[in-house]
Amino acid sequence: MEARSIVIGVEGMTCHSCVQAIEQHVGKRNGVHSIKVSLEDKNAVIIYDSKLQTPATLQEAIYDMGFDATSAGSDPQPVLPDTIFLTIPAQSALTSKEIRSTLLKNKGILDVKMSSDQKSAVVTFLSSVINGKQIIQMVPGVDLNISAPEVTPGTCEDSSWSQASSVLLRLKVEGMTCHSCTSTIEGKVGKLQGIQRIKVSLDNQEAVVVYQPHVITAEEIKCQIEAVGFTASFKKQPRILKLSAVDLERLKNTQTKGSETTSLKENSKNVNDTKTVVFKIDGMHCSSCVFNIQSTISALPSVTNIVVSLEKKSAIVNYNPNLISVEELRKAVEAVSPETFKVSLPDQYEHTALLSALASPLKSHTALKDATQPLTQVVVINIEGMTCNSCVQSIEGVISQKAGVKSINVSLANSNGTIEYDPLQTSPEDLRSSIEDMGFDASLSAKTELPVGVTEPLPEEQLASLRTEPTSKPSPNHAAKQEAKSISKCYVQVTGMTCASCVANIERNLRREDGIHSILVALMAGKAEVRYNPTVIHPSAIAELIRELGFGATVMENSGEGDGILDLVVGGMASASCVHKIESTLMKTNGVLYCSVALATNKAHIKYDLEIIGPRDVIQVIKDLGFATTLVKKDRSASHLDHKREIRQWRRAFFVSLAFCIPVMVMMIYMMVKDSQLSDARAHHNMSDEEMEAIHSSMFLERQLLPGLSVMNFLSFILCVPVQIFGGWHFYIQAYKALKHKTANMDVLIVLATSIAFVYSFVILLVAMAEKAKVNPVTFFDTPPMLLAFISLGRWLEHVAKGKTSEALARLISLQATEATIVTLGPDNVLLSEEQVDVELVQRGDIVKVVPGGKFPVDGRVIEGHSMVDESLITGEAMPVTKKPGNTVIAGSINQNGSLLISATHVGADTTLSQIVKLVEEAQTSKAPIQQFADKLSGYFVPFIVAVSVVTLFAWIIIGFVDFEIVEKYFMGYNKSISAAEVIIRFAFQASITVLCIACPCSLGLATPTAVMVGTGVGAQNGILIKGGEPLEMAHKVKVVVFDKTGTITHGTPEVMRVKYLVESNRMPHNKMLAIVGTAESNSEHPLGVAITKYCKKELDSETLGTCTDFQVVPGCGISCKVTNIEALLYRKNKMVEENNVKNVTLVKLEENVEQSMQPALIIDADLPTTVTSQKYSVLIGNREWMNRNGLLVKNEVDKAMIEHERKGRTAVLTAVDGVLCGLIAIADTVKPEAELAVYTLKSMGLEVVLMTGDNSKTARSIASQVGISKVFAEVLPSHKVAKVKQLQDEGKRVAMVGDGINDSPALAMANVGIAIGTGTDVAIEAADVVLIKDDLMDVVASIDLSRKTVKRIRINFVFALIYNLIGVPIAAGVFLPIGLVLQPWMGSAAMAASSVSVVLSSLLLKMYQKPSSEKLEFRARGQMKHKSPSEISVHIGIDETGTNSRKLSLMDRIINYSRASINSLFSDKRSVNSIVLNEPDKHSLLVGDFGEDDDTTL
């Protein structure tokens, strides 16, 4: 019997009598266990038997009563039942059958099963409808069976419950070395059905298990432990446990209970009887303890809710005092594994929670309603139109307020939102329409609703009042859900890969394994990146799977794990008490999250919060306990990249093979020379066949040692066997492992070729010896030594070349410093102490000293000292960079001539160098689309070649027997003394073996990754970080380059370009106006205000200005304020000018005045005339409107000057002092010096260049004319940049977007290639495909140029790879025999080796790449770069392609305006104030815009 719950919408109810009528009518129906009708929610929650009722029949029953019944949109949900054991006394008045039928008549009882001895019964019931007490009361005389633990239905239906007592088992477990072993056993065995508790002790080497013998046997438990890899044996015979009621409840199998069961513990009848108690719990260390207590105690039927706080060391428990006492509860908590908790009960905390809210019928109704329904469901809604994080926050903010929404997580990257909601209060459609109401496009995803069992017991709300703060730990179910979501990433170093089919082999086999989500193998980096589920599989198991495939594999340290994880070697530990001492002390330390110390290995693994505690503090805590500690050294070298081990292995293999190969070759050449001499002699002397045979057999090598065994064949066999065994050992192992996993790779081809040649020759030789043949058979013993020698040589050279391709990355890794000097500073930066520490122990905020010639160990900011720093290896900038206090420094750069003190800002994996290394490694791991095709091809290649080889063998055998003359004519060294059949067989074998030898998928697999590796490495050395093969391949296809303006084409910070003084200098001296204006703007945070202050300070040569009061700002207009205390500043400036004049005239150094000139500006000297009194000035700074508002008239000539500046893209600001207009300041964001050359070069490369900006059209037009861009999209909002890029892509163009990565991130991600311009540390790594470390636009040119060169090299590599296979295979098969082209097997293997080596060498030529130098490009572009006139620039406003709407012009008007535009452009670039605005501004841009309007850039 299966109970299900359904929610049915009911329309037409008017009062509570309707509710009662429905509940009574439907509740009477057979198979309906429970029904709750809600008048407010207009629905009915029904629990029913799915065999007796269906949702349709229930709807029909309600409909028959005159109400409208509809499905609420959710499917029926299973309701998990509870079970109870009953003991039937021998003197019972009722028989077992009568008891069964009596019980089954009651609602809520699903099933009753009797034991074979009729003494006990198990009742399956719904706890939301009926409870255990009520069941016992139904049948007089029966009692609750205490001796049997509760089990779920179905686990042991046919067992006798008389044996149901729990049993204690002690096992001796051998082979455990650390706490990881104990966790593995506990995790494996603890999950088994029937296991109630397990505790494994490392020190005692034993496991204590409490289990149910009717579910699992002791032998099965032992086998499970042995399956994990340990030896287990029984210490004592299992003994039955006598358990109390509390123990029983504690040992329930909580995993079999659904979340509904927990939330249904309370019944509406006894809701008001609950009490709340607060326990103080000592001994909790981590969230695992919290989870254990919560999950175990919440499983007790008497507990309605429990909240455990790790911080407060307390537990708030809501319980039913009728079912359990406080003392029993306390014991139950203490009994929770690992039984180390100390639970006390402060008297002042215990109180009865007779909360009024609980008595509310609505609340209790909701609880019951929720009980029969999965409490939450999850829906994924696709959301289009989000542009930035503010969109994400606004959606999350609005939707989270909706009724029924439990949580919402919106992802900008995935363009979707995941919402957890209560299906009784809202629906996916409601949520979708709410998001659409906010202005976004929303659609329901295919994977819409996933029911989530979240335990939300009723008193949660009421308990909120008892807590001083919400619990920081998630609920157990939530934690489980998070765990399911979490996917970990690990890196495995893989050795022994030779070609793309190895990569395909590893990837294909590992993808089949449980728990592995994705795998990416980099052939060149010798690394596999694996994303896996840590609950299913762990990294060491992944490495083992790779090793099983025949490759070397070791788990590398995860680059992302450096933060907050510390591995230490702890010396001086003697026993387990030392371990406990260290662990307990560390766990009490604030900021330490987790600690595990292994006595056997003397190692400690510590996780800590970087914000609270640092690694040195952790080490100090352990040292204070009296133990010595050292850091576990991480391998910082790039040893896995230099291929040294492989180079050594293949060099040895080559020389071994060569040692045996040379004698074979000498004998072969000797025989060939002798044969040719004999054939010449025969031609001259007309010898008969018999004479020829006699001479031939008289040769030393042809003499027979035994009948059928010649010296030549014997020596060849002796030399061939060692090579076949020792030289071919590696190939045989690899081939066996490949075939075992149903794959074929290069090694399979090599093994086939050598084995066939060896076995064929050996068999022929044995047959000849058996027949005592007089003519020596022709064998292939020369093939394996020569073949293996050439292949080993090829592999050796290939690994040497591969090591070279990784040099760039190895050089980057080697830049990392290993140690740092940390100093302690006293007051006034006095050096108190210094200490040399490992670079991994540097913490954020540490003061690090870097001496001349030293490397910077971390990123930081200079706080003291001046020096020159060489950053060439990181940024590609050849010239040293000056560093002074306030400047940032990059880890890995080299300090040149002065000592510096720096404050660490980024440490460990956060440093720029670590990010670059990670980026380059990931780039070399990623695959270009062209490479994925090559990998696929390699997979089919080997079987295809084997097939061709077999076809070749049979084809030549058939041809030979049909027409022997062809073989006789073209077969080199044919000898009449050999039979025709043997010649044919030998020739056919030779051709087929040669086909196997010459075919090489290696070169095909190496073509792309070697080029990508060298390309990305060269890019990194030049300050261009390319994220892998795809952007590298895509960049050469780009047709349009879109530049952002601010911060990309321009510097991004405004500067004062021009100051126009509007009053005579005798009325207002220039210095005085600058002092007043600079002081006024010093309080402004606006970029224009900052630019004015900076300019004034520079002009006045002073770091301090006057005093500003009554400062007011009006956004969009300007500022007003009062300025005082500028006299001292002016006096000092004037005095300096006078002194300079005197110096220049007399060339006399007046030392007494020098001191005064260097005094701080605001200190009034004794020299200052006492008559000068401080004057107060009233200042206004702003646009025309601000001046007009304050009653100041802006004259026509001033207005014209402002319009002229605005036409050039500048912002014109007016200043007034004491009601008089004094000056006009023009401010602009200046263009980068290299921008014009970069744009010109891109155009000369055949690319279209577009400018896209959010700025106004005037400024955009001005900037575009300066850099030579003719197409501009102005006033484009950041959110519309994405749409603009998409629009260009829809036209069939490949787009590269260049931005500074701040508000351009969505557009960078949308573009085919996103190029982010960084400034050293502010690298916008996430969205962009290419990151330029230097703030230099010429690197955009270089990145596209490098991409083109790399793709060209990849294509050349493919030609190299395919030419060998396309031409070599037919030649080897004998297709070109008629023109005399025939290959020996050793020639084939030489060609195969040459193909791989030539591909790698071809890629290495990329290392010679030089990025285009600005000097050469400038010289080439001399005289050709010119500023665009405004008429040549088309400006599009906003996202609309057609620009602003205006009236349609007649043909005549158009002709007049064209002519007027032409005349205007001839005479002047100034625009007419009264120009007519056309409908197509991009074509008649001279006439666009009315410049009479006040279009000022907002202040």
Side-chain angles (χ1 to χ4, degrees), residues 1017-1031:
V1018 167
Q1021 283 176 318
N1022 285 289
I1024 302 163
L1025 302 183
I1026 301 167
K1027 290 189 180 176
E1030 197 163 347

Side-chain angles (χ1 to χ4, degrees), residues 66-230:
F67 300 99
D68 288 331
T70 56
S71 169
S74 60
D75 295 325
Q77 302 292 333
V79 178
L80 293 180
D82 272 16
T83 53
I84 191 169
F85 288 83
L86 300 177
T87 305
I88 303 168
Q91 64 275 23
S92 172
L94 299 172
T95 64
S96 56
K97 281 186 181 178
E98 287 170 338
I99 291 170
R100 188 172 185 275
S101 60
T102 306
L103 288 171
L104 284 173
K105 284 175 190 170
N106 293 284
K107 297 272 184 194
I109 293 183
L110 302 178
D111 196 13
V112 179
K113 287 207 169 106
M114 310 304 289
S115 65
S116 53
D117 58 3
Q118 307 292 309
K119 288 182 181 176
S120 57
V122 62
V123 183
T124 307
F125 67 101
L126 299 173
S127 55
S128 58
V129 182
I130 195 167
N131 61 30
K133 272 190 176 179
Q134 292 167 327
I135 293 170
I136 293 165
Q137 287 163 7
M138 286 173 196
V139 186
V142 299
D143 196 8
L144 188 66
N145 183 0
I146 298 299
S147 66
E150 184 174 300
V151 294
T152 52
T155 50
C156 52
E157 288 175 1
D158 303 320
S159 311
S160 168
W161 287 291
S162 59
Q163 300 171 358
S165 303
S166 291
V167 172
L168 179 79
L169 174 67
R170 283 185 185 274
L171 293 146
K172 183 173 173 53
V173 183
E174 292 173 310
M176 297 188 292
T177 55
C178 61
H179 287 291
S180 163
C181 304
T182 61
S183 306
T184 306
I185 297 170
E186 285 176 353
K188 173 86 174 172
V189 177
K191 289 176 188 169
L192 300 173
Q193 196 77 23
I195 299 292
Q196 294 169 330
R197 264 187 60 206
I198 174 167
K199 180 70 182 167
V200 182
S201 167
L202 179 64
D203 298 332
N204 301 333
Q205 296 278 304
E206 74 166 14
V208 181
V209 188
V210 178
Y211 71 99
Q212 293 172 311
H214 58 287
V215 179
I216 191 167
T217 65
E219 197 57 44
E220 284 171 346
I221 297 168
K222 177 172 167 279
C223 292
Q224 289 294 336
I225 295 173
E226 287 176 342
V228 186
F230 302 97

